[in-house]
Amino acid sequence: MYGKGLRTLSAATCLALGAAFALVFFYAPLDADQGFIQKIFYVHVPMAIVALLGFVAGAVMAIGHLRTGDRRWDLRSYVAIHLSLILGVGVLITGAIWAKASWGHWWVWDEPTLVSFLIVFLLYATYQPLRFSIEDPERQARYASVFAITAGAFVPLNFLAVRLAESLTHPRVLSTTGGALPGSMRLTFLVALAGMGLLFVTLWKYEMASKHATAQLRSLRRKLGGEEIASPGRSAAPRTAAPAHPGA
Amino acid sequence: MSTVGALLRKELRMELRTRESVPAMALFAVTTFVVFHFGLDRDRLEGELASGVLWVTLLFAAMLGVNRLFVAEREQGGFDGFLLAPVDRSALLLAKALALFAFLVAVELVAVPAFAVLLLGPGIGPALPELLGILLLADVGLAVVGTLASALAIQTAARDLIAPLVALPLLIPVVIAATRATAPLLLETGAENVPLRWLGTLGLYDMVFALLAYAVFDFLLED
């Protein structure tokens, strides 16, 4: 069920990302102040936006889990947060590179967006240890959902607080939302953003399809009465109940 | 309401009899001030540095209380007893948060004077009314988020690790707002006005997390 449309989606992702990189290198003008290094902006900012949206999507899916009690929602939430965490590492690394190139330091504390992102990332970094240290799968899913909702609500609040803390002393030079960009840059940015969003959705669907197939395989083996697959032991990943088998 | 009252009375009576949390938290806070004296190699602090030292100390002291908050429930079957009682489950959240709030106030009654004596350069007298307001607002946030993090961590295998790891990032906005609000009060040149937006931030934070904790707490008890 998660495999449906994956081929088209993958093709669209490749196309969008390819177009984005072509635009970045051949179409978007060089930034007057920062020169070539400014082009990392087209990777860094879309990645950050998609990662944050992934965290919020994880919270929404967690609400779905707590409302319906359906553990598949927990799996969806887990995969979304997991992917966002991986993107988050990318955001912090590209952010550090950009900071080093344009301000001369690997980390600057007066860039509120970067600082807020670090705080959010540190919070979500606890998600996996939290899951890992709860053995009972049902309780693990429930607690992880509570965490995902709390953290999801924390994201906008944290950005507000950090921005308030910095805004008086440091006026914002570059609007990172793309609002004040010249047309060609904005187009490139939007294409890059679309590409990154598609990449997230594609990876999410791939991961869901893989987890789904594994669970189905396990249930089929159990039905055949074959040897039990060695239990994976304690794990941070949700152990899905065997999905309803078509025709069973 | 009477449920919350009963639970809170139980909480406070237990603390009065066992003295498990508050003395340890207060002692920890005073010791941390001494550690800061040597760590920073300063005899007198003022302004932003003083405010930061005070709030970081209070935050870490609060973490000790957060770690112990639900231990009795878990180890002595209090959760089962509570779940068997025909009462609203949110009552436990409210009672625990109020208890943690009371613990924090008790700790601050020791820690703030100790800070004024040990480390603070300017006198604390003129700043006291505003400081009390900031302390109370921040304590609400610390109590609510601390209770939530504690409840989230108590059933895990590594609860002493999970609770601070969850609570600290969640509490960073409280630290930001509280330190920025306190800093102008502790200036060597005399206390200045507290910027109102920090009080607003603290109030907003308290409100959002109180509602959020109320919404999700039930799911942590369902067993």
Side-chain angles (χ1 to χ4, degrees):
Chain A
M1 68 199 256
Y2 292 103
K4 209 186 284 174
L6 252 186
R7 192 186 303 248
T8 343
L9 200 58
S10 311
T13 307
C14 289
L15 201 70
L17 279 180
F21 278 108
L23 285 173
V24 166
F25 285 111
F26 302 114
Y27 174 69
L30 278 184
D31 187 77
D33 296 331
Q34 302 187 23
F36 185 71
I37 187 68
Q38 186 266 341
K39 288 190 189 286
I40 203 172
F41 158 87
Y42 301 111
V43 178
H44 172 73
V45 178
M47 218 189 237
I49 292 174
V50 170
L52 289 175
L53 288 181
F55 286 139
V56 174
V60 174
M61 292 160 181
I63 293 176
H65 170 240
L66 290 186
R67 284 187 82 106
T68 63
D70 184 348
R71 290 253 298 283
R72 276 175 302 180
W73 280 110
D74 175 56
L75 180 64
R76 289 173 192 146
S77 163
Y78 169 80
V79 173
I81 290 175
H82 193 118
L83 276 174
S84 282
L85 267 172
I86 297 170
L87 284 185
V89 176
V91 171
L92 290 174
I93 292 173
T94 50
I97 294 171
W98 194 9
K100 175 70 179 167
S102 58
W103 295 303
H105 303 283
W106 290 109
W107 187 259
V108 282
W109 284 106
D110 51 14
E111 182 54 52
T113 322
L114 203 58
V115 175
S116 321
F117 195 89
L118 178 68
I119 298 169
V120 167
F121 180 79
L122 286 176
L123 176 62
Y124 274 98
T126 328
Y127 182 69
Q128 306 273 4
L130 173 73
R131 293 197 77 114
F132 186 74
S133 63
I134 304 174
E135 282 201 53
D136 175 42
E138 194 271 330
R139 176 180 280 165
Q140 182 192 63
R142 203 148 36 76
Y143 277 48
S145 293
V146 168
F147 177 92
I149 294 169
T150 311
F154 172 76
V155 169
L157 202 62
N158 173 54
F159 270 76
L160 177 79
V162 174
R163 185 152 295 202
L164 265 181
E166 307 289 346
S167 59
L168 279 197
T169 38
H170 300 276
R172 317 237 42 225
V173 182
L174 179 76
S175 163
T176 41
T177 50
L181 290 172
S184 54
M185 280 181 161
R186 185 188 296 179
L187 176 70
T188 315
F189 171 72
L190 289 178
V191 174
L193 182 61
M196 196 58 79
L198 280 171
L199 178 68
F200 185 91
V201 175
T202 312
L203 289 176
W204 183 83
K205 284 195 80 150
Y206 262 113
E207 182 73 6
M208 289 301 296
S210 143
K211 292 227 187 283
H212 192 71
T214 314
Q216 230 164 5
L217 181 67
R218 197 175 298 146
S219 88
L220 283 176
R221 284 231 182 130
R222 206 175 294 131
K223 267 191 197 134
L224 284 172
E227 82 282 23
E228 191 69 31
I229 308 172
S231 155
R234 216 146 62 108
S235 148
R239 270 144 297 174
T240 37
H245 191 251
Chain B
M1 266 302 118
S2 64
T3 319
V4 176
L7 285 169
L8 183 61
R9 270 200 303 282
K10 177 216 86 171
E11 215 58 52
L12 298 179
R13 186 171 297 149
M14 262 180 66
E15 179 59 28
L16 279 177
R17 290 193 182 158
T18 62
R19 297 193 186 85
E20 268 188 330
S21 292
V22 174
M25 288 159 77
L27 188 62
F28 176 85
V30 175
T31 314
T32 310
F33 291 140
V34 177
V35 170
F36 267 120
H37 159 71
F38 289 108
L40 297 170
D41 199 15
R42 295 269 201 98
D43 296 340
R44 288 277 170 263
L45 301 178
E46 58 114 13
E48 286 177 354
L49 195 55
S51 156
V53 166
L54 177 64
W55 280 107
V56 168
T57 305
L58 291 178
L59 178 69
F60 287 152
M63 285 304 117
L64 294 188
V66 166
N67 265 337
R68 304 229 32 105
L69 197 57
F70 283 99
V71 167
E73 264 73 15
R74 182 187 156 96
E75 286 178 355
Q76 293 155 25
F79 281 123
D80 299 333
F82 179 75
L83 286 176
L84 285 174
V87 293
D88 188 12
R89 285 164 185 186
S90 308
L92 186 62
L93 168 74
L94 194 54
K96 284 288 180 185
L98 285 173
L100 185 55
F101 181 80
F103 293 175
L104 287 169
V105 171
V107 168
E108 280 152 10
L109 285 178
V110 178
V112 174
F115 178 68
V117 171
L118 292 174
L119 282 177
L120 194 61
I124 202 164
L128 214 47
E130 288 100 328
L131 186 61
L132 277 180
I134 300 169
L135 281 169
L136 291 180
L137 270 178
D139 284 352
V140 174
L142 284 171
V144 169
V145 173
T147 307
L148 188 60
S150 184
L152 200 59
I154 192 68
Q155 303 284 11
T156 67
R159 58 166 191 265
D160 300 0
L161 296 177
I162 299 287
L165 280 180
V166 173
L168 284 179
L170 282 176
L171 285 168
I172 285 180
V174 173
V175 175
I176 294 174
T179 48
R180 302 294 164 109
T182 312
L185 294 174
L186 305 178
L187 289 175
E188 196 73 75
T189 50
E192 286 174 17
N193 285 335
V194 176
L196 276 180
R197 63 196 176 114
W198 295 122
L199 299 182
T201 312
L202 277 177
L204 181 71
Y205 181 94
D206 293 352
M207 216 168 60
V208 170
F209 271 95
L211 291 176
L212 194 69
Y214 179 73
V216 296
F217 187 74
D218 284 10
F219 295 102
L220 296 176
L221 289 181
E222 215 171 83
D223 266 9

